[in-house]
Amino acid sequence: VTLRDVCESGGKTPNEYFYHQGIVFGHMDYCTSIGADPSEGMPEIDYARQKLVNFAKAYDLQAVDLVWTQIKDLDGCRRECERGRRLGYTGKTIVHPSHGKIANEVFFPRQTDWAKRLMEAFKDYLSAGKGAFMFEGHMVDQPILTRAKNIISMAESYQQLDKST
């Protein structure tokens, strides 16, 4: 089974209670399969880590980052969460409660106010029939609008989770 097979199978299952919404990067599984010894900074997994994000995004799936196994190293956990976020991951695998708050803080969308202002401004520009426009000193086109929509959607998802727990 390839990564492409896994991504393409999203939602295709005989079990009505299971819906494939994301993929998780198991870095220790990966290191074991390629015979690599994980090292500080884990450069040996950079290629696979980024490839998983690219596949997840191509198939509209969530990309969940590797587990942080150093339970008491909360600063390291935060650094790894931030690195995962910069790479495009939308969440972190958690094995200890002390890491949950850190992951939630890091992965919660930070630019929700900007995204809401942008989408409001876009409504005004729609009537003008323009493909791109200026917003707060920056050119905005479809990829930027899509990013704003994604930020708002992710924030709403987090808020729904908070209400259900």
Side-chain angles (χ1 to χ4, degrees), residues 84-97:
R85 181 186 170 102
R86 284 190 308 275
L87 289 172
Y89 282 89
T90 53
K92 185 86 169 157
T93 305
I94 301 296
V95 295
H96 194 271

Side-chain angles (χ1 to χ4, degrees), residues 13 36 42 58 62 69 74 76 81 112 123 127 132 138 140 151 156:
T13 176
M42 300 181 281
Q62 298 296 316
T69 59
L74 301 181
C81 284
T112 54
K123 289 177 188 175
S127 60
H138 298 275
V140 175
I151 289 169
E156 289 170 351

Side-chain angles (χ1 to χ4, degrees), residues 111 114-115 118-119 122 131-133 135 138-152:
Q111 298 175 306
W114 167 84
L118 174 61
M119 294 311 296
F122 177 62
F133 66 96
F135 176 74
H138 298 275
M139 191 241 2
V140 175
D141 58 2
Q142 192 58 49
I144 304 299
L145 291 169
T146 300
R147 181 169 179 250
K149 288 177 188 176
N150 290 343
I151 289 169
I152 292 167

Side-chain angles (χ1 to χ4, degrees), residues 9 29 44 56 65 67 75-76 84 106 110 151:
S9 72
D29 301 306
E44 57 280 335
D65 198 15
V67 66
D75 291 335
V106 171
R110 299 176 184 171
I151 289 169

Side-chain angles (χ1 to χ4, degrees), residues 48-146:
R49 198 173 184 188
Q50 191 61 60
K51 184 175 181 175
L52 186 132
V53 169
N54 288 323
F55 264 87
K57 301 301 178 170
Y59 289 92
D60 199 28
L61 297 169
Q62 298 296 316
V64 181
D65 198 15
L66 57 91
V67 66
W68 181 250
T69 59
Q70 298 174 34
I71 304 299
K72 294 184 179 185
D73 183 2
L74 301 181
D75 291 335
C77 179
R78 182 172 295 280
R79 279 192 307 275
E80 271 305 305
C81 284
E82 289 171 351
R83 182 168 183 231
R85 181 186 170 102
R86 284 190 308 275
L87 289 172
Y89 282 89
T90 53
K92 185 86 169 157
T93 305
I94 301 296
V95 295
H96 194 271
S98 65
H99 298 171
K101 183 176 184 214
I102 294 169
N104 285 338
E105 288 172 2
V106 171
F107 286 99
F108 186 84
R110 299 176 184 171
Q111 298 175 306
T112 54
D113 291 338
W114 167 84
K116 289 176 182 177
R117 288 192 317 274
L118 174 61
M119 294 311 296
E120 191 60 38
F122 177 62
K123 289 177 188 175
D124 297 337
Y125 284 95
L126 272 179
S127 60
K130 296 180 181 179
F133 66 96
M134 294 295 290
F135 176 74
E136 297 182 357
H138 298 275
M139 191 241 2
V140 175
D141 58 2
Q142 192 58 49
I144 304 299
L145 291 169
T146 300

